[in-house]
Structure formats: C-alpha cells, structure tokens
Amino acid sequence: MAVLLALPTASASSASTSDLLSTVSSFDDLRMDAEDLAFHLAAHGIDVKPQGDYAEVYLDGDIY
C-alpha cells in the first residue's frame, strides 16, 4: 500500500493527504487488489481510479 501513496491525478476532491493516510491504514486486507482499494477509498470520499495493479489518487492537483 505504500506504493499506492506515491501515485497522483488532478480532481475536485475535498480529501486531504492525512485523510488518505488514515483511510489506507484503517483497512488491512492482504487479499485486497487495486480495484478493492480504489472502491474503499472512493467510499470514503477520496478521488481514486484503479490502474492495473495500483490505484491513482487525486488530491490537491497531485496524483499519488
């Protein structure tokens, strides 16, 4: 999941980096894939898009 935090995209999201970190760390499932992670983050108001084996998160004009 640490790799997922290094990915970014521009969008109108009200979430912050600390929201992203707390949401990712609150859900620990070794069987989770990028699509599962993207769904989990989107359910918590984070702008995200699955991209193959990682998820791109869009915060404050940056892609993580």
Side-chain angles (χ1 to χ4, degrees):
M1 281 192 243
V3 172
L4 298 175
L5 298 176
L7 312 169
T9 296
S11 178
S13 174
S14 62
S16 68
T17 306
S18 63
D19 294 334
L20 174 61
L21 293 173
S22 65
T23 303
V24 169
S25 65
S26 72
F27 191 72
D28 188 17
D29 183 353
L30 297 176
R31 298 168 296 173
M32 180 187 336
D33 61 11
E35 201 167 306
D36 295 333
L37 177 62
F39 179 82
H40 176 72
L41 294 175
H44 287 86
I46 296 172
D47 189 13
V48 61
K49 181 177 176 184
Q51 295 288 346
D53 61 347
Y54 63 93
E56 287 186 346
V57 175
Y58 310 104
L59 293 176
D60 301 325
D62 293 322
I63 302 172
Y64 297 91

